[in-house]
Amino acid sequence: MLQNSYRLIAASADRFAGRTALRFIASPEGDEVAAWTYAELVGRITAFANGLHLLGVDRTSVVAFALPNLSETHVALWGAEAVGIALPLNPALGVATLAAILREAGASVLVTQASAITLSPSELEAVLSAVPSLSHLILVDSPASAVCAGTVAVHDFDALCTASDRDRLRFADARSSDDSSWFCTGGTTGLPKIARRSHANELANVAQIATAVTGLLGEGDAMLSGLPMFHVNAAMVSGLLPFAIGGEVVLATAMGFRTPGLLAGFWPLVDRFGITSFSAVPTLLSALAQIPKPEGAAASLRFAICGAAPLSAAQHAVAERALGVPVLEGYGLTEGTCATSLNPADDRRPGSIGRVLPGQRARPMILDDDGRWVRDAAVGEVGALAISGDNVFIGYRSVAHDRGIWIDHPDGRRWLNTGDLARIDADGYLWLTGRAKDLIIRGGHNIDPAVIEEALSGHPAVLLAAAVGRPDAHAGEVPVAFVQLRPDAMVDEAALLAFAEAAIDERAARPKGVRILPALPLTAVGKIFKPELRRLAAEEAN
């Protein structure tokens, strides 16, 4: 029985040794730099893992990497998991934040580049000097002489792999209960939390997702990977999942979907490499909908998966018309390894996050003010969304962050409070109604921002919409909305406000203002960054 991520990929290499496993596209024009077979991929992962072992890395060692989407990033992730604990980090993080996370994790190895899209040599030197636990720096495509590392040993990534055995691991296999990866999550203010996941978590979630897409994704199918690899979706859905079933991962440039010109060349890229599917976020689908699909293009494309943030019914309809294939909205979180629910291709419910994946449980629960279970929510009743299953993470690196996240349920299972609010319908479909912390409380009325966002998204001029609470001396806070218009669209804020007022039945939920921005602020993954909008709203209140 397979017990870790390395053995899962190695098992595919045994079956599909000569088949392409990983392809790296260097530019939006489709310039291909590398194409590795399964045998080559596993050989490189094995060599890197053995190299780390020779540097003293063991099961409790944290190997951090801050890299763009390179072929070497997959080697770093799965090689680090094979021998120790992988810690993927956003390569665009500033020096202070990166150093603070590395200190919190106690990382002993950092894999990165000294480049314009990661850290400059001087910035990298500042990080190294601020993290006493670091013993080794491994550089990808960067001269070791570029960095003055002090007491930290500097290694070349390729040289380390070349000098190491690639035929088999030279140390004992990881157990299924061992920590496999630590991913950062929930960092809207201050430092992000570090979520600990086991090999058992990862294998369970990949099997659950694979079952859900049976008949849609299989051996030899090519999945485009454009979301950043420090995010769980890129690592799991467009990474470990294709590797587990003998598929092909196509890395769409080092910066992924953020590469200028990539979306403009999306359709030729799909045709050239026979892309069958890809993962996206709502903002990406909205942008793709503005790129005309040529007649007869993308015959290979079967479906797209959308997650990370709610997709309105209006956005869903626009995206499916533009892509010409089913868009399967799903839901997941880092603490659940990745995915928890997905719409089936043959029975999609626009606006819903679909049905719970096989092998998991998810249900809205009514909790008291202290987060304790009162009862399970009735059909159609909004409650705190809780999940349970073998995919649910171990806990946070800091035990203090675990307080209040587990629900003591009468069934005796381990239930995680996701922090999201949802309802379930009579057919078992889940519908997100917002995050508990995103609720706008206007004079005692709990307002779901999704109600406002859904209404504004129905206006033909609106590309993106987000609602937040604005401080108010009388009501506590009042709802306001921010929108980004479609290219060449012409509408003023007063007209949008009138549109929203007419579309929203609940008087308290009608926004007190609508502001048009050139572009809504986004996170590195492409989610709308509401803390910045709350700041703008607070400024307007003063």
Side-chain angles (χ1 to χ4, degrees):
M1 181 178 176
L2 300 176
Q3 62 186 34
N4 55 57
S5 60
Y6 174 84
R7 290 300 166 194
L8 184 66
I9 301 172
S12 288
D14 289 341
R15 296 177 60 199
F16 314 113
R19 178 177 291 165
T20 300
L22 181 63
R23 194 183 299 271
F24 176 72
I25 308 304
S27 74
E29 293 72 37
D31 299 325
E32 183 183 322
V33 171
W36 296 345
T37 65
Y38 269 90
E40 290 170 327
L41 173 64
V42 171
R44 291 172 186 266
I45 293 171
T46 304
F48 183 66
N50 283 328
L52 290 174
H53 177 63
L54 290 174
L55 297 181
V57 172
D58 61 22
R59 287 282 159 246
T60 62
S61 303
V62 176
V63 178
F65 63 88
L67 292 169
N69 287 12
L70 306 172
S71 301
E72 290 85 354
T73 311
H74 272 288
V75 174
L77 172 57
W78 309 119
E81 285 199 7
V83 64
I85 303 166
L87 175 63
L89 296 173
N90 183 350
L93 287 174
V95 169
T97 303
L98 181 60
I101 295 173
L102 291 170
R103 286 197 301 270
E104 171 66 18
S108 59
V109 179
L110 174 62
V111 186
T112 189
Q113 289 180 314
S115 72
I117 58 175
T118 50
L119 296 168
S120 69
S122 61
E123 289 173 326
L124 189 50
E125 290 164 12
V127 169
L128 297 179
S129 64
V131 186
S133 61
L134 283 175
S135 300
H136 299 279
L137 172 67
I138 302 174
L139 293 173
V140 177
D141 293 335
S142 307
S145 59
V147 179
C148 181
T151 60
V152 177
V154 183
H155 312 271
D156 175 77
F157 186 93
D158 287 337
L160 183 69
C161 292
T162 301
S164 304
D165 296 334
R166 62 171 51 207
D167 58 334
R168 65 180 180 86
L169 296 179
R170 301 296 174 172
F171 49 86
D173 255 359
R175 297 167 299 181
S176 61
S177 58
D178 287 335
D179 285 32
S180 57
S181 59
W182 292 358
F183 275 79
C184 294
T185 183
T188 54
T189 58
L191 284 178
K193 301 172 185 175
I194 299 176
R196 299 173 53 211
R197 299 112 59 79
S198 70
H199 285 279
N201 294 154
E202 293 188 349
L203 265 60
N205 203 216
V206 164
Q208 292 159 357
I209 303 167
T211 301
V213 296
T214 299
L216 291 173
L217 189 69
E219 298 177 11
D221 286 339
M223 194 166 198
L224 189 68
S225 178
L227 298 176
M229 280 195 60
F230 59 81
H231 189 267
V232 292
N233 191 295
M236 301 297 296
V237 176
S238 51
L240 194 57
L241 170 65
F243 292 150
I245 62 177
E248 177 181 325
V249 173
V250 180
L251 288 173
T253 77
M255 298 304 292
F257 291 129
R258 292 171 291 166
T259 298
L262 183 69
L263 294 187
F266 178 81
W267 297 114
L269 206 65
V270 169
D271 279 333
R272 179 171 175 182
F273 297 101
I275 302 300
T276 57
S277 60
F278 67 101
S279 276
V281 296
T283 51
L284 172 64
L285 291 181
S286 295
L288 268 179
Q290 308 304 307
I291 310 297
K293 179 182 178 182
E295 189 70 30
S300 60
L301 194 64
R302 292 189 202 126
F303 69 101
I305 292 176
C306 184
L311 180 69
S312 72
Q315 287 176 307
H316 188 274
V318 170
E320 287 205 336
R321 283 197 302 269
L323 296 178
V325 296
V327 173
L328 312 183
E329 185 177 6
Y331 167 84
L333 66 165
T334 305
E335 292 87 342
T337 301
C338 184
T340 283
S341 66
L342 189 69
N343 267 275
D346 58 354
D347 194 8
R348 310 183 291 291
R349 306 286 173 91
S352 161
I353 56 171
R355 291 174 173 155
V356 182
L357 297 183
Q360 291 192 50
R361 294 173 180 83
R363 64 181 64 156
M365 296 180 182
I366 306 302
L367 308 179
D368 66 17
D369 291 342
D370 295 320
R372 291 189 293 261
W373 182 87
V374 175
R375 59 181 172 83
D376 291 348
V379 170
E381 183 180 17
V382 174
L385 182 60
I387 65 172
S388 180
D390 292 339
N391 57 297
V392 176
F393 80 145
I394 300 168
Y396 294 111
R397 159 75 170 168
S398 171
V399 177
H401 291 150
D402 285 346
R403 296 193 188 106
I405 66 170
W406 305 112
I407 298 172
D408 185 11
H409 193 277
D411 68 4
R413 293 189 174 95
R414 191 168 174 262
W415 287 91
L416 171 71
N417 184 352
T418 66
D420 287 304
L421 301 174
R423 60 182 173 85
I424 191 167
D425 66 22
D427 297 320
Y429 284 78
L430 289 163
W431 303 76
L432 285 183
T433 60
R435 282 194 64 79
K437 67 180 181 181
D438 285 342
L439 280 178
I440 302 166
I441 304 176
R442 179 181 185 177
H445 292 270
N446 287 349
I447 300 167
D448 176 7
V451 171
I452 304 168
E453 293 159 1
E454 178 84 22
L456 283 167
S457 294
H459 193 287
V462 173
L463 180 65
L464 299 173
V468 298
R470 184 179 72 195
D472 182 83
H474 300 289
E477 57 184 356
V478 294
V480 294
F482 294 85
V483 301
Q484 178 180 331
L485 300 182
R486 297 184 184 278
D488 303 322
M490 298 292 290
V491 67
D492 61 24
E493 293 174 349
L496 289 174
L497 181 60
F499 180 86
E501 289 175 342
I504 298 171
D505 291 332
E506 184 184 356
R507 184 183 298 273
R510 293 170 185 166
K512 295 294 287 183
V514 176
R515 181 174 168 187
I516 298 172
L517 298 181
L520 294 190
L522 304 177
T523 68
V525 180
K527 296 182 184 180
I528 295 173
F529 188 58
K530 286 194 172 182
E532 173 62 15
L533 298 181
R534 292 190 191 99
R535 185 189 67 78
L536 293 175
E539 286 182 352
E540 291 179 352
N542 295 330

